[in-house]
Amino acid sequence: MPKDLVFEIGNGVDVNRFNPEVGLVNNRIRSELGIADDNFVVGMIGRQVEEKGIIELLEAARVLVGKYNDISFIIVGDRLNSDHAEGVEAAIEQAKVTSGGRLISTGMRSDIPQLLAAMDLFTLPSWREGMPRTIIEAMMMALPVVATDIRGSREEVVDGETGLLVPLRNSKALTKAIESLYKDREKSKTMGKASRNRALEFYNEKKVIEKQLTIIQSINIT
């Protein structure tokens, strides 16, 4: 195919649905999940399988919950019937027991914007990704993001500006990154604002669709 017929389109989300203003319902979600209003909440959304970095996140949660009494973790998602994740399920259940109620596994949920609004930090420590939509959704909700330095995630997260990138399969680096933003709330909020601005510029669903239509209309294929 000629190079002039190859275009980068990207991905996008609904800016009205993923709007930080839904943070007005934070208390409902936190109350529902039993999380104190003043806790620093770290969240992840994804399939509950090893390649999503669940084990590394559970280790980070174990360390940080043990060090600080005002940090909580939310894991949102489930696994497919075809996923072989029995070990992950056992690890999550064990982590829930030892976390004193500060690690919550919600299962599948449809109220993703509201869950994101209840978080202070989003993380996706995957081993591999395409173009992770959950990161875009979190950015649109003005959350800083800690993700692994892999294809897809590093195209979305600007290291040191909208979040932090860490080596994959490295629970110590993940723990350190999360802890650094837990300790520096102003930096965390600044990164969150930068995330929102970047998402509005590059991942606004309306702009992405308009770009697609413009390209289609401009191509004269004979």
Side-chain angles (χ1 to χ4, degrees):
M1 178 178 289
K3 290 183 178 180
D4 59 352
L5 292 180
V6 177
F7 303 92
E8 179 184 350
I9 300 296
N11 204 344
V13 299
D14 184 343
V15 299
N16 294 315
R17 181 169 182 243
F18 290 90
N19 185 330
E21 291 300 317
V22 303
L24 295 174
V25 298
N26 268 9
N27 290 339
R28 176 184 70 80
I29 293 292
R30 289 192 175 210
S31 176
E32 173 196 334
L33 299 178
I35 300 174
D37 290 344
D38 61 351
N39 271 23
F40 186 87
V41 179
V42 181
M44 174 186 170
I45 300 171
R47 285 170 45 240
Q48 308 301 283
V49 292
E50 279 192 341
E51 67 181 49
K52 289 295 182 180
I54 291 287
I55 300 301
E56 292 88 339
L57 180 59
L58 293 176
E59 175 59 19
R62 183 191 67 78
V63 172
L64 295 173
V65 165
K67 290 180 68 173
Y68 308 104
N69 60 14
D70 62 344
I71 188 169
S72 295
F73 290 79
I74 301 175
I75 299 176
V76 182
D78 208 335
R79 67 184 180 94
L80 304 175
N81 291 333
S82 58
D83 289 329
H84 300 287
E86 291 82 0
V88 169
E89 286 185 351
I92 291 175
E93 290 306 311
Q94 178 62 28
K96 287 165 65 176
V97 170
T98 59
S99 71
R102 286 189 284 132
L103 185 141
I104 299 100
S105 177
T106 69
M108 294 294 289
R109 299 276 296 229
S110 60
D111 54 345
I112 298 303
Q114 289 75 23
L115 284 161
L116 288 169
M119 301 174 189
D120 296 291
L121 169 67
F122 183 79
T123 184
L124 188 68
S126 296
W127 300 353
R128 62 184 68 83
E129 286 289 343
M131 195 72 176
R133 187 179 180 85
T134 54
I135 287 181
I136 296 175
E137 292 171 347
M139 290 172 64
M140 197 65 79
M141 291 296 293
L143 289 177
V145 178
V146 172
T148 35
D149 189 5
I150 58 173
R151 182 188 64 187
S153 297
R154 61 171 164 257
E155 274 68 61
E156 296 171 348
V157 179
V158 180
D159 188 33
E161 181 180 328
T162 68
L164 299 172
L165 294 174
V166 299
L168 73 162
R169 306 194 195 193
N170 190 324
S171 62
K172 289 184 178 180
L174 179 64
T175 302
K176 183 178 179 181
I178 293 173
E179 185 176 29
S180 70
L181 295 181
Y182 160 84
K183 287 182 173 180
D184 193 339
R185 306 297 172 88
E186 286 304 312
K187 181 178 181 179
S188 181
K189 290 178 181 178
T190 298
M191 284 184 166
K193 291 177 182 178
S195 272
R196 170 74 174 173
N197 291 335
R198 179 171 171 79
L200 287 171
E201 181 178 359
F202 294 106
Y203 307 121
N204 181 333
E205 184 177 67
K206 183 177 179 181
K207 289 183 178 180
V208 172
I209 293 173
E210 288 175 349
K211 182 178 181 180
Q212 290 175 329
L213 293 175
T214 298
I215 291 172
I216 291 170
Q217 293 167 0
S218 68
I219 297 175
N220 180 20
I221 300 178
T222 57

